[in-house]
Amino acid sequence: MRLERKTTAEALQAAKEVLGFIQSETLTVEQKKQIVSDSIENFSQYVTKAILAHRKSVSHDFSVVEWEDEAAVFRDTMGDEYIDCLGGYGVYLLGHRHPKVVQAVSAQLKRYALHSQEMVDPLRGYLSKLVAYITPGDLQHSYLVNCGTEANEMALKLARLATGKKYFISTEKGFHGKTMGSLSASSKPAFREPYLPLVPGFQHVPFGDADAVEQAIRMLINTGETVAGVIVEPIQGEGGVNIPPDDYLPRLRQICDKYECLLIVDEIQTGMGRTGTLFGVDHWDVVPDIMTLGKAFGGGVMPIAAMVAKRKWWSKMEENPFLLGSSTFGGNPLCCAGAIAGIHTILEENIPQMAKEKGDYILKHLEDIQSRHPDVLVDVRGKGLLIGMEFADNSLGYTLAKQLFGKKILVGGTLNNATVIRIEPPALISYEQIDYVLACIEEGIAQLSREGKVAR
């Protein structure tokens, strides 16, 4: 049934009330309860009710409404504190509202927030220069956008533009976003089938199998097709934290050189230090032709992503800089300020090393737990603070996630592999918090193991 349109006066009153919540330093108990009830109604009526059901499947409780955050925790409207081991699926590498990033964004906000679209906006240039400084090899030119899927769209478009070729090789369990081009490169049928036919010219092969990539390229060429590029994650995140063989990315580099197509590496989740090196490809000393960045790229405060490419592929952009797309808000000053402060903080505080040390610590303890309960936890894998726990079946992982939420710990599943639960906390998580999380994981898995043995 269609809702009646509200009056301007009602809209003004509703906006005034919400602004009062936002601008208040403290809330009364009545206001907190109202925000919870309003949130449930608003999602049901004006967003999507199914989102509530999805959240409830993990948390049991609609009443948990996010309201505050800092460092490695967030708090609900009632002040209950949760340890964040989901990290916004990679966004919060620097934690929630890192003060250095907030300070930079606040300073820029006092100057100007968005760019005119006509005059030269300096922060866009400064950020692009920094990206060229920190990315491997001779990656140089950046195209700044709003989110990861948009960055991958630009990468795919640039590959076709620069090479004049058509086909792309992607991977099974790969995830590159849900806009039409990025979704064509992604693999999960549930996301793809409602939109078929997608963008033509994508062929999927098993992840980690360089021979399959070469065979797919060779067969396409032998049947008269052309291949613009290979798009791959250095470590699959949504696919289940899948780590390729050590020769995989180096061989992809050789294969792309041999067949004169571009190697596109999606570092949306792995980039900026998450896996213990500044970029995922750094584990294998590989330089791609195009790299995409997102999630943690905005310092955990601002939404921004980037495509960065080698200069040799940029000539068409020099002929017409508007060919790739029209991103009104891409590279805006506020987001650039956040990304610049984020890069500075990552380098100054050596976040990659911090992620490596804490990731090694977590992995060691999870491997000990797995060795004692292999009937429940069948595998543990990861690099840095991108860690996957694979369970014997889907229900075990979801049950553990619910148990952990009850102990005020948030973890995340994976979109392309439902048996895997991710541990992806901020690098600023303390060892005290880590030990509490590990103790709760061990307690939960031990309980699942006992219950399973009784059931058998």
Side-chain angles (χ1 to χ4, degrees):
M1 184 173 116
R2 189 177 183 276
L3 298 173
E4 288 186 17
R5 184 169 181 172
K6 304 300 182 185
T7 66
T8 300
E10 288 174 307
L12 280 170
Q13 180 57 38
K16 180 180 179 181
E17 183 177 48
V18 176
L19 285 172
F21 294 151
I22 293 170
Q23 295 168 358
S24 294
E25 296 207 3
T26 59
L27 298 172
T28 66
V29 173
E30 290 73 21
Q31 286 174 318
K32 293 175 180 178
K33 290 180 178 178
Q34 182 183 340
I35 291 169
V36 172
S37 61
D38 285 349
S39 297
I40 295 169
E41 180 184 359
N42 291 340
F43 269 79
S44 298
Q45 297 291 339
Y46 306 108
V47 187
T48 304
K49 188 175 182 179
I51 291 177
L52 291 176
H54 171 74
R55 297 295 184 264
K56 186 176 176 63
S57 72
V58 174
S59 70
H60 302 288
D61 193 352
F62 285 151
S63 66
V64 178
V65 174
E66 193 171 344
W67 192 246
E68 297 176 349
D69 65 1
E70 63 181 328
V73 303
F74 67 89
R75 301 181 190 90
D76 66 14
T77 49
M78 299 304 170
D80 288 337
E81 190 168 277
Y82 294 77
I83 298 175
D84 185 4
C85 285
L86 168 59
Y89 298 106
V91 170
Y92 295 113
L93 178 64
L94 293 180
H96 296 255
R97 293 187 305 118
H98 194 290
K100 293 178 182 176
V101 182
V102 171
Q103 182 182 28
V105 173
S106 299
Q108 181 58 38
L109 184 58
K110 292 174 183 176
R111 188 170 293 108
Y112 70 111
L114 300 176
H115 48 293
S116 69
Q117 308 294 329
E118 179 60 28
M119 298 173 70
V120 174
D121 41 311
L123 295 193
R124 182 174 164 190
Y126 283 130
L127 176 56
S128 297
K129 180 179 180 180
L130 277 174
V131 171
Y133 277 9
I134 66 173
T135 48
D138 53 346
L139 292 169
Q140 179 173 346
H141 290 279
S142 287
Y143 193 93
L144 302 175
V145 291
N146 305 288
C147 60
T149 188
E150 192 179 356
N152 283 330
E153 291 281 351
M154 298 305 105
L156 296 169
K157 290 173 74 175
L158 179 64
R160 282 187 171 174
L161 189 66
T163 65
K165 299 177 181 181
K166 304 302 180 187
Y167 257 87
F168 291 97
I169 310 301
S170 187
T171 61
E172 184 183 12
K173 294 184 180 178
F175 183 80
H176 303 285
K178 294 182 186 175
T179 49
M180 291 296 277
S182 301
L183 183 58
S184 303
S186 299
S187 72
K188 189 168 185 177
F191 296 146
R192 293 168 53 88
E193 287 171 358
Y195 305 107
L196 295 174
L198 291 167
V199 178
F202 287 82
Q203 185 162 326
H204 294 76
V205 299
F207 178 71
D209 187 343
D211 289 337
V213 172
E214 183 166 21
Q215 182 179 11
I217 294 173
R218 190 172 61 249
M219 291 301 295
L220 285 166
I221 292 173
N222 288 345
T223 54
E225 304 289 353
T226 58
V227 180
V230 175
I231 182 168
V232 65
E233 300 155 273
I235 299 169
Q236 289 186 330
E238 299 295 348
V241 190
N242 301 316
I243 302 171
D246 282 338
D247 68 342
Y248 180 61
L249 284 168
R251 285 200 59 205
L252 291 189
R253 177 68 278 171
Q254 294 169 357
I255 290 166
C256 287
D257 290 341
K258 177 180 178 180
Y259 294 96
E260 298 181 337
C261 56
L262 304 193
L263 178 58
I264 305 167
V265 176
D266 177 346
E267 293 263 8
I268 304 297
Q269 189 163 173
T270 54
M272 310 311 297
R274 165 64 59 185
T275 68
T277 54
L278 195 52
F279 300 101
V281 292
D282 293 339
H283 290 289
W284 299 282
D285 294 322
V286 168
V287 179
D289 295 289
I290 301 174
M291 177 187 285
T292 54
L293 305 171
K295 295 191 183 296
F297 185 57
V301 173
M302 301 303 294
I304 184 171
M307 174 199 70
V308 56
K310 292 182 176 181
R311 184 177 184 178
K312 64 188 291 187
W313 306 120
W314 208 252
S315 60
K316 293 290 185 181
M317 288 294 291
E318 299 296 350
E319 296 172 17
N320 183 349
F322 306 107
L323 272 176
L324 277 187
S326 177
S327 182
T328 301
F329 300 111
N332 71 73
L334 282 182
C335 288
C336 285
I340 290 166
I343 290 172
H344 178 265
T345 304
I346 288 166
L347 298 177
E348 184 178 56
E349 299 185 10
N350 199 357
I351 294 297
Q353 182 64 26
M354 193 182 300
K356 181 185 185 309
E357 291 172 358
K358 291 178 180 177
D360 288 347
Y361 181 86
I362 293 170
L363 268 173
K364 178 182 180 300
H365 286 78
L366 289 179
E367 287 166 354
D368 289 343
I369 295 169
Q370 191 272 331
S371 68
R372 290 192 292 275
H373 305 287
D375 54 323
V376 173
L377 186 59
V378 298
D379 191 26
V380 175
R381 55 186 177 266
K383 283 187 181 291
L385 289 173
L386 178 56
I387 297 169
M389 300 187 297
E390 184 166 355
F391 291 85
D393 59 57
N394 300 355
S395 63
L396 291 170
Y398 282 121
T399 301
L400 180 68
K402 292 176 186 178
Q403 290 174 346
L404 292 174
F405 195 91
K407 296 178 183 296
K408 304 292 190 292
I409 299 166
L410 183 65
V411 296
T414 54
L415 293 177
N416 285 6
N417 189 346
T419 61
V420 177
I421 295 294
R422 265 180 295 185
I423 303 294
E424 201 167 351
L428 300 184
I429 189 170
S430 70
Y431 281 96
E432 181 181 6
Q433 290 169 325
I434 291 172
D435 287 340
Y436 173 74
V437 170
L438 290 170
C440 291
I441 289 174
E442 178 157 26
E443 181 183 359
I445 289 175
Q447 180 181 335
L448 291 172
S449 181
R450 288 194 300 271
E451 290 172 353
K453 289 172 181 176
V454 169
R456 288 194 293 271

